[in-house]
Amino acid sequence: MDLQADLAWLFAAVALGPFVGSFLGLMSLRLPDGRPVALARSACPACERRLGPIDLVPVLSYLALRGHCRTCGAPIPPRYLVLELACPALALWSMLVHPSAEGFLGALLAWQLLLLALLDAEHFWLPRALTLPLLVSGLAVAAAQGLLFDHALGAGIGFAGLSLLALAYRHLRGREGLGGGDAYLLAGGGAWCGAIALPSILLIAAASGLAFVLMQRLRGRPAGLDQPLPFGVFLAAGTWLTWLYGPLGLS
């Protein structure tokens, strides 16, 4: 694809990123509370004033209002600014590694993984309302590229593998070791990256999870086999890095 088209995809992905980040921030707060996301208008949670267009411009509104509601002065959750900056950054990363339309698709993957990782980190929750669209979108992209069989196989193996591992852990230890959402998330990773990529996703996830536990211990915080670990965060990282750079050990 020519340079002009690549730049158009780059601009589209990065320009869309802040708006996606703002929406992800909204979803990350409303979904755990069971509140509607798409139909309800945004409002200040403190004074309940409906937000107008001037309040909803990503990044600029937060900076102009100095992170506070312009009516009551209540603080705006900083996650909005963080996500509004993180989403275009992830899009740029994807486009630099994979210029063209493929990089734009990578941005879509990154945004889905970011929300899932955030929900798992804060609530140990990977809702099927988000993991299933990850799975479906990965298979749709694979079908468009003529790779549906391999990626569907990856989704099936990923789901079955973690589901069986969770079942075995429950049988041997008498308690839950993996949440059900982890299997769906790995299925989504297999759908996006293919069956051959599953070992890479799991290796990166395990290594990053272990590094997290060691860092927590060095900081004097409890971390170990008996402590809950948001494994979905590390599965998301493994999926993202594997999609970007390919399975470990393969060119």
Side-chain angles (χ1 to χ4, degrees):
M1 192 170 290
D2 59 35
L3 178 60
Q4 185 176 0
D6 290 348
L7 290 176
W9 283 113
L10 172 63
F11 176 80
V14 175
L16 185 61
F19 296 93
V20 173
S22 181
F23 185 63
L24 295 189
L26 185 70
M27 293 182 71
S28 70
L29 291 173
R30 290 188 177 182
L31 283 177
D33 293 337
R35 291 183 288 160
V37 175
L39 298 179
R41 289 190 59 182
S42 297
C44 172
C47 67
E48 298 184 350
R49 177 184 65 85
R50 288 187 175 181
L51 303 183
I54 194 173
D55 303 297
L56 298 174
V57 180
V59 180
L60 296 180
S61 291
Y62 189 96
L63 296 177
L65 297 171
R66 298 182 180 180
H68 292 81
C69 173
R70 62 186 174 93
T71 300
C72 68
I76 301 171
R79 74 175 58 222
Y80 283 105
L81 179 62
V82 172
L83 291 170
E84 287 166 6
L85 294 173
C87 283
L90 287 169
L92 179 60
W93 187 2
S94 179
M95 294 298 303
L96 290 176
V97 178
H98 296 284
S100 76
E102 186 177 7
F104 187 88
L105 293 174
L108 298 180
L109 170 62
W111 297 335
Q112 293 179 82
L113 293 173
L114 178 59
L115 178 57
L116 285 163
L118 181 58
L119 289 174
D120 200 37
E122 293 185 338
H123 304 282
F124 295 97
W125 185 44
L126 295 169
R128 292 184 188 178
L130 298 178
T131 53
L132 289 179
L134 178 71
L135 171 63
V136 171
S137 60
L139 293 178
V141 171
Q145 296 173 337
L147 301 171
L148 181 58
F149 177 79
D150 176 64
H151 287 237
L153 182 63
I157 293 175
F159 180 80
L162 276 196
S163 295
L164 290 174
L165 181 61
L167 182 63
Y169 188 96
R170 189 185 312 120
H171 178 74
L172 293 174
R173 300 293 299 271
R175 58 186 175 86
E176 297 292 337
L178 285 171
D182 292 323
Y184 283 94
L185 178 52
L186 185 57
W192 274 91
C193 301
I196 198 172
L198 291 174
S200 176
I201 295 173
L202 288 171
L203 182 59
I204 294 172
S208 56
L210 179 60
F212 174 79
V213 169
L214 294 176
M215 289 177 59
Q216 291 294 89
R217 288 187 173 181
L218 290 174
R219 296 170 64 183
R221 297 182 178 180
L225 293 178
D226 294 328
Q227 298 295 324
L229 186 71
F231 192 56
V233 174
F234 310 111
L235 282 175
T239 299
W240 171 238
L241 293 174
T242 299
W243 185 89
L244 274 180
Y245 299 109
L248 294 174
L250 297 179
S251 57

